[in-house]
Amino acid sequence: MTNGPVIAIDGPAGAGKGTLARRLADHFGLPHLDTGLLYRAVGLKAERTGRPPVEIAGSLDPSDLADPELRTDVAGQAASKVAAIPEVRANLLDFQRKFAAQATGAVLDGRDVGTVICPHASVKLFVTASVEARAERRFRELRAKGVDTIKPRVLAEMAERDRRDSERAAAPLKAAPDAYHLDTSDMDADAAFAAALAFMESKGFRSSGP
C-alpha cells in the first residue's frame, strides 16, 4: 500500500507516456520515476562491464540513473533484454515500490507499473499508439539528433521491441484491467495531457502533493 496518491502510466515505447508522466508530475506536484531508466541502467552497465545483470540490479544506486547515455537506443535495446530476466525484475521491485510509497505519492511510468509495481495505484493509464505512429516519432527524434537512419529500420526495431516486451514471461507489457486506455496515434503532447487530465478529474483525483 502507498502513503499518497500514485499515478501509474504504462505503455509501449514511443507512445508518449514519459512526456505525459513528467507533465502530470509537474501539474500535481508529485515526484516522478521513469522505471525504464532502471532497466536501461542495468542493461548498459552489464554491456559495459560484463557483470551479470542480476548482480547489477541488486546493487543499483539512484546516481546510476543520471547517466545521459541512458536515453540512447543502445540503452533501450539493452533494457529490453535484461527486463526479460525475472531475477532482474525482482531485484528492482523494492526500489520502485519504495519510490511509490513516498508520503506525497508519486508518478511512475513504465511497462508493468499498474499490473505489478503499483497494482493499487490511485489512477492507471495505459498510453498507446500504432506502431507506425510511434516509429515515425522515433525516426524524427533520431534525425533531429543527427542520427543517420531510415524509417523501415526504426519500424522494424520498434516492432521487435514490442514483441520482446509483450511476450516475455516476467511481467509482460499489458494494460491493467482497470487502466484507462489513451491512444495518442493522432494526438500531440498537449492533447494527450488534456485527455489524461480530463479523465483523472472525472474520477475525482486529487493530489496531496504541494
Side-chain angles (χ1 to χ4, degrees), residues 123-181:
V123 174
K124 299 177 187 177
L125 304 174
F126 189 79
V127 184
T128 188
S130 68
V131 67
E132 292 81 11
R134 293 185 287 116
E136 176 66 26
R137 292 170 186 167
R138 186 58 180 151
F139 172 74
R140 289 185 204 161
E141 182 182 331
L142 290 172
R143 292 303 292 267
K145 293 179 179 178
V147 178
D148 185 20
T149 189
I150 57 175
K151 288 184 182 180
R153 180 183 302 158
V154 175
L155 180 61
E157 291 175 350
M158 186 76 72
E160 170 58 22
R161 187 170 177 187
D162 285 352
R163 183 199 64 75
R164 193 161 55 225
D165 290 346
S166 299
E167 294 180 2
R168 68 189 181 212
L173 167 65
K174 64 179 181 179
D178 54 345
Y180 173 66
H181 286 245

Side-chain angles (χ1 to χ4, degrees), residues 31-109:
H32 166 240
L33 175 65
D34 174 355
T35 64
L37 283 183
L38 302 177
Y39 295 95
R40 285 172 177 256
V42 171
L44 200 58
K45 186 173 283 192
E47 291 195 354
R48 287 173 173 172
T49 66
R51 289 171 57 199
V54 175
E55 176 186 302
I56 294 170
S59 60
L60 198 66
D61 187 87
S63 63
D64 292 321
L65 306 183
D67 188 343
E69 293 298 312
L70 297 183
R71 297 295 181 180
T72 64
D73 269 3
V74 171
Q77 292 297 331
S80 187
K81 294 172 184 176
V82 300
I85 304 173
E87 293 83 2
V88 168
R89 306 195 73 85
N91 282 349
L92 293 177
L93 184 62
D94 189 53
F95 185 108
Q96 297 171 82
R97 285 184 170 165
K98 283 182 178 178
F99 187 92
Q102 296 179 75
T104 57
V107 179
L108 292 85
D109 72 270

Side-chain angles (χ1 to χ4, degrees), residues 2 4-10 20-21 24 28 30 100 105-110 112-115 117-127 176-182 193 195-207:
T2 60
V6 173
I7 303 173
I9 305 177
D10 294 307
L20 178 61
L24 288 174
F28 288 108
L30 298 173
V107 179
L108 292 85
D109 72 270
D112 65 344
V113 180
T115 54
I117 307 303
C118 303
H120 302 295
S122 311
V123 174
K124 299 177 187 177
L125 304 174
F126 189 79
V127 184
D178 54 345
Y180 173 66
H181 286 245
L182 180 60
F193 175 67
L197 202 56
F199 167 74
M200 294 171 64
E201 290 177 347
S202 75
K203 296 296 183 180
F205 180 82
R206 294 292 181 272
S207 169

